[in-house]
Amino acid sequence: MDKTDETFLEMAIEKAKQSVAQGGFPAGAVVVNNGKVIGEGVSVGNVIHDPTSHGEMASIRDACKNIQSSDLSGVVLYASMQPCIMCLSAAMWAGVARVVFACPQNKVSPEYYGGHYDSLLLNKSFLRPLTIEHAPSLEQRSLDVVRLWEKKLAGAVTG
């Protein structure tokens, strides 16, 4: 991972903060093609009543809309959290080449991912596996957004 990756991953973490501010889940993503953001998304499925509206899914939809194609061959998906199996599968179907994420699945409750599964193992079974990279240098920044969201939830429950 280089400085460019860090810059785009920081943008995904900022999208996660925006998601929390909008009442959504603490996940955000950006899709980048040749050094340019072509899609971005927040995880507000609970707000818009769409269980598929995760940050990664929203950023893939946005990118496809912006380039007027469902073919995202060669792009990079930057995600504040490790993509769930739905988002990883959508990235594969869209032709995403590489996924870079900050917060790994094992750092949060299994409830956030709908259970215990190994998305890296699933990726290996794809006909077109993606390159998946964890960015430990930004893990804590993403986890801070998750913890902020958890505190907001706890306040809503007790307040």
Side-chain angles (χ1 to χ4, degrees):
M1 193 176 88
D2 61 21
K3 261 314 206 195
T4 302
D5 287 333
E6 284 187 8
T7 299
F8 289 122
L9 196 48
E10 286 175 356
M11 291 173 86
I13 294 169
E14 286 303 311
K15 297 308 283 179
K17 288 179 186 175
Q18 289 175 19
S19 185
V20 170
Q22 293 174 31
F25 187 76
V30 295
V31 174
V32 175
N33 188 30
N34 294 320
K36 181 182 175 203
V37 174
I38 61 168
E40 51 188 49
V42 294
S43 189
V44 292
N46 62 315
V47 176
I48 64 172
H49 312 293
D50 178 358
T52 69
S53 193
H54 293 191
E56 300 91 339
M57 297 290 282
S59 67
I60 289 169
R61 284 187 196 113
D62 190 44
C64 290
K65 179 182 160 198
N66 289 335
I67 68 167
Q68 293 293 291
S69 174
S70 59
D71 183 4
L72 297 178
S73 294
V75 306
V76 181
L77 173 64
Y78 293 92
S80 64
M81 297 179 74
Q82 184 174 347
C84 71
I85 55 178
M86 175 183 67
C87 294
L88 187 65
S89 297
M92 182 273 299
W93 283 112
V96 171
R98 186 171 159 242
V99 174
V100 181
F101 68 90
C103 181
Q105 181 177 349
N106 65 1
K107 295 291 181 168
V108 297
S109 168
E111 291 177 12
Y112 296 179
Y113 284 88
H116 296 279
Y117 53 81
D118 187 342
S119 58
L120 299 177
L121 188 59
L122 173 67
N123 183 55
K124 289 178 183 177
S125 71
F126 288 157
L127 290 178
R128 296 177 313 219
L130 294 81
T131 300
I132 302 175
E133 298 174 34
H134 173 223
S137 62
L138 291 172
E139 181 178 307
Q140 190 58 53
R141 281 201 55 214
S142 180
L143 201 49
D144 288 346
V145 178
V146 172
R147 299 303 178 231
L148 172 68
W149 175 74
E150 290 171 340
K151 285 180 185 172
K152 279 184 132 182
L153 283 182
V157 171
T158 59

